[in-house]
Amino acid sequence: RLWHVLVLACACSESHHQRISVDPGPWADAIGAQVAPYASISIGTGGDFAIAVADDPGIPLEGYQLEPAGTASWTVHAHDVLGAQYGTAAALENLGFRFRHPFDPYVPDVITAGSADTRVHAPQVRVRGLHVHTEHPIESYFAFWEPSNGSADAHRIIDWIVDNRGNYIEWFGLNDIVAEQSRYAAWRPFTQELISYAHMRGVRVGFAFELFGAGDLQQGFNL
């Protein structure tokens, strides 16, 4: 009898699961990648809550504006790939999401619509991003410099930068790709993929290096 009660409870919970639909407008690849980590969000229409992204030439580049369309729907006005993603992040924040850590975003158990900020938002600082220190065996090293770790963690860090309205990332190169040909052979396609992913999301990429090997104490890539 208890087993039947549990099955019924699970079925009821699943039938009332809240869904968010996102119509990405002309930025399907970038916004599709933005929402892919969240099981409660799908690309398309027809969710309990709906976000539609529209190209609006009146919005400044990297800017956005939220327009309510009822109590559970919003239109994101933007005019470039970053503004579209920033506006989508703002709409999700209005539903209780918080992009507090690349590997640990806050996803609400119960989605509740807030009172959206309808002002036009545009950046006041041209470069907004992160320098990740790959010269030590910490998260950023394994994410951006270790091909055997895969690209998922680096993608999540890039995602987090976009969700927090950033547009730039750079990391420090290491000299192992010069010293060992096998390391270079694995590193090159891995890094090409990371750069391509960042560019698809609208994020610029920088590469830090040492000018002189004599002053390098941490095995950095040097000229």
Side-chain angles (χ1 to χ4, degrees):
R1 185 182 299 272
L2 177 60
W3 183 84
H4 283 89
V5 172
L6 289 175
V7 170
L8 178 61
C10 291
C12 291
S13 175
E14 180 64 25
S15 66
H16 289 87
H17 185 63
Q18 295 170 294
R19 303 290 304 177
I20 302 169
S21 64
V22 179
D23 180 351
W27 300 287
D29 289 344
I31 293 179
Q34 182 179 20
V35 303
Y38 305 103
S40 58
I41 307 175
S42 59
I43 293 293
T45 59
D48 300 294
F49 302 91
I51 301 167
V53 185
D55 189 358
D56 184 341
I59 302 297
L61 295 180
E62 301 188 25
Y64 66 89
Q65 183 180 29
L66 295 185
E67 177 189 6
T71 59
S73 301
W74 298 266
T75 298
V76 174
H77 294 268
H79 194 45
D80 70 335
V81 66
L82 281 174
Q85 293 173 97
Y86 297 165
T88 300
L92 292 174
E93 289 171 341
N94 188 52
L95 294 173
F97 286 70
R98 296 293 181 266
F99 307 107
R100 59 191 182 183
H101 187 280
F103 306 149
D104 187 26
Y106 174 76
V107 179
D109 293 328
V110 178
I111 300 171
T112 304
S115 179
D117 182 350
T118 60
R119 295 174 295 174
V120 174
H121 290 265
Q124 297 181 349
V125 177
R126 184 178 66 86
V127 179
R128 309 171 307 281
L130 187 67
H131 168 95
V132 290
H133 204 58
T134 47
E135 293 184 298
H136 301 288
I138 57 178
E139 291 92 337
S140 57
Y141 164 80
F142 292 103
F144 286 92
W145 202 260
E146 185 51 65
S148 64
N149 191 58
S151 61
D153 285 352
H155 285 195
R156 293 172 73 180
I157 293 171
I158 294 167
D159 296 343
W160 178 80
I161 290 173
V162 172
D163 287 334
N164 285 282
R165 293 30 160 203
N167 64 0
Y168 181 74
I169 186 169
E170 69 176 31
W171 58 91
F172 211 101
L174 301 180
N175 221 35
D176 59 345
I177 60 173
V178 176
E180 300 178 43
Q181 182 60 36
S182 61
R183 289 286 293 167
Y184 174 75
W187 169 86
R188 181 175 178 176
F190 170 72
T191 303
Q192 286 176 327
E193 192 280 332
L194 297 187
I195 293 171
S196 295
Y197 181 80
H199 287 174
M200 183 271 290
R201 300 296 304 272
V203 174
R204 293 171 54 234
V205 175
F207 186 77
F209 54 85
E210 297 280 354
L211 290 177
F212 305 105
D216 183 5
L217 303 179
Q218 296 178 305
Q219 304 301 314
F221 184 92
N222 65 76
L223 298 182

